Amino acid sequence: MSVFALVDCNNFYVSCERVFDPKLEGRPVVVLSNNDGCVVARSPEVKALGVPMGAPWFQYQTLARKQRIVALSSNYALYADLSDRVMRILADLSPAHEVYSIDECFCDWRGLAGVDLIEYGQRTRQRIRQWVGLPVCVGLGPTKTLAKLANHVAKKQPQHDSVFDIARLTETERTELLDRIAVGEVWGVGRRIEERLREQGITTVRALRDADTRMIRARYGVVLERTVRELRGSSCLPLEAVTPPRKQILCSRSFGQRVEDLDSLRQAVTAYTARAAEKLRRQGSSAGAIQVFIETNRFNDEPRYAAQRTIPLATPTADTHRLLHAAHHALVDIYRPGYRYQKAGVILLDLDPAENAQRDCFASLAADAIDPARAKLMSAIDAINRNHGRGALRWAAEGYTRPWAMRTDRRTQGYTTRWNELATARA
């Protein structure tokens, strides 16, 4: 019988900040999105104040001052590093695991014969808390959907001490539990599907579990039918131990201030292309095309303009220099003066494994998209930035002052990702 455990970090971004600033414990804290625009993480104290996820932060300034809410800019490099540490611990404690998101991981505990899984879940929590400093909850179930639901129970019901195994319930107890949980809490049931289900009278998890599968498939498709079968205990979603490579890579940001001139836009597009190319090489792929887009603010009264241009590449490549050449060509083609641009972005398309890239038999070695010398240069750049922090080595076309860069006025230090910002311990 399958045994899945979903390990989920509590209030992940906020918890990461609290690891290095214990004064934030017990205080209302929010983490904001790019340019400090919206709320993307909340502490329990902020949730109790009624601040919703995704709320525009400028609308809550009065409440923030009154309740002394601490607002921080996103520090994604720090969050990613702490996430990697948590995932390594789970890999060490589990026969197999699947990293589902930056703060969630499915573990296969089926092979832990003779082990008390509740106790094992508590040991997992304690190790992550002791080694990384993050609080987590553990949900256990015979399917991934039930494990996800069990994790929800572990978070919402303190009597379970953050670990809950739904398989330990009797059939009657499980039915009573599912009858008390809203259908919107089921993994894969989004807001629109929830509204349609409610119109049919399916308002609880129990009602969804007991729904007719033929009707569910006919009205909502095979994905929701599979969810229903998972709620009944039939495992339909296997563990994906290997994350499939992405089919496209997007790198985009809103600017910290409006941009009007082509040079500033070129700096931004250069920075985004370099970042996307680094991700491309990390997954061992090459790109067959690149798309560049720019746009003005859609929500004010200024003249609006948005455009995009896709450049097919003669041969697939992961070479930043070659991608930049195409990106700059696309940008010049779509740029129009007289507008105040708010956002730009780059998308790498037609991704394939680099070893399958078709070489150009008419090109010289120096112009070949997979020139071995160029590949070594790219590897060296990636290694330097990996060891010394992102941006330690960058393309001159990215600029130095970069006034367009997004605002991070409230960002905390890179405690584990930058040598000059390491945490200081005083005794």
Side-chain angles (χ1 to χ4, degrees), residues 91 209 246 256 351 425:
R209 182 198 65 177
R246 285 177 285 188
L351 307 190

Side-chain angles (χ1 to χ4, degrees), residues 379-393:
S379 296
I381 293 173
D382 293 343
I384 291 172
N385 285 331
R386 195 164 49 246
N387 293 330
H388 297 277
R390 186 185 304 170
L393 196 60

Side-chain angles (χ1 to χ4, degrees), residues 3-5 93-95 107-112 117 120-121 124 138 140:
V3 180
F4 292 98
L93 293 174
S94 307
C107 300
D108 184 354
W109 286 0
R110 161 177 49 184
L112 301 178
L117 295 180
Y120 198 72
T124 300
V138 181
L140 293 153

Side-chain angles (χ1 to χ4, degrees), residues 11-78:
N11 315 305
F12 181 59
Y13 293 172
V14 171
S15 296
C16 290
E17 299 291 351
R18 284 174 167 171
V19 169
F20 297 96
D21 188 356
K23 294 178 182 175
L24 296 178
E25 291 287 352
R27 294 190 60 185
V29 181
V30 296
V31 174
L32 306 175
S33 62
N34 295 338
N35 288 316
D36 298 341
C38 299
V39 175
V40 293
R42 306 164 295 164
S43 68
E45 296 80 7
V46 171
K47 293 177 184 177
L49 292 173
V51 179
M53 183 68 89
W57 185 234
F58 73 90
Q59 295 180 355
Y60 289 86
Q61 295 304 301
T62 302
L63 179 68
R65 285 191 293 270
K66 184 178 179 182
Q67 298 294 334
R68 302 181 65 186
I69 298 176
V70 179
L72 301 171
S73 302
S74 300
N75 191 342
Y76 293 118
L78 175 67

Side-chain angles (χ1 to χ4, degrees), residues 97-110:
H97 74 292
E98 172 193 340
V99 178
Y100 179 65
S101 68
I102 192 171
D103 61 346
E104 292 179 288
C105 181
F106 284 105
C107 300
D108 184 354
W109 286 0
R110 161 177 49 184

Side-chain angles (χ1 to χ4, degrees), residues 79-234:
Y79 309 152
D81 183 66
L82 294 187
S83 172
D84 289 343
R85 296 172 189 231
V86 171
M87 300 310 167
R88 284 199 294 272
I89 292 173
L90 294 174
D92 186 48
L93 293 174
S94 307
H97 74 292
E98 172 193 340
V99 178
Y100 179 65
S101 68
I102 192 171
D103 61 346
E104 292 179 288
C105 181
F106 284 105
C107 300
D108 184 354
W109 286 0
R110 161 177 49 184
L112 301 178
V115 175
D116 185 316
L117 295 180
I118 293 290
E119 182 183 342
Y120 198 72
Q122 291 294 351
R123 285 168 51 194
T124 300
R125 287 186 59 240
Q126 292 163 8
R127 180 172 295 189
I128 293 173
R129 186 68 167 177
Q130 184 177 9
W131 288 16
V132 186
L134 295 175
V136 302
C137 285
V138 181
L140 293 153
T143 69
K144 293 170 79 172
T145 302
L146 286 174
K148 186 91 172 170
L149 201 63
N151 193 286
H152 168 79
V153 175
K155 282 187 176 178
K156 300 297 182 182
Q157 299 183 10
Q159 65 269 29
H160 300 299
D161 197 17
S162 301
V163 179
F164 180 69
D165 184 0
I166 202 168
R168 295 201 177 192
L169 301 179
T170 64
E171 192 57 40
T172 303
E173 291 172 334
R174 185 185 298 191
T175 297
E176 291 176 354
L177 173 69
L178 300 186
D179 206 26
R180 295 195 299 270
I181 302 176
V183 68
E185 299 296 341
V186 175
W187 184 33
V189 176
R191 182 172 54 83
R192 291 183 180 178
I193 292 180
E194 181 185 8
E195 290 174 356
R196 292 174 59 191
L197 289 171
R198 287 184 177 279
E199 289 174 358
Q200 280 189 261
I202 301 175
T203 59
T204 67
V205 180
R206 176 189 178 182
L208 179 61
R209 182 198 65 177
D210 297 339
D212 180 65
T213 52
R214 288 174 298 182
M215 180 275 292
I216 291 292
R217 181 167 189 160
R219 295 193 178 187
Y220 302 95
V222 68
V223 174
L224 193 61
E225 180 199 1
R226 196 164 50 195
T227 298
V228 171
R229 295 189 184 280
E230 286 243 320
L231 288 173
R232 295 175 181 177
S234 300

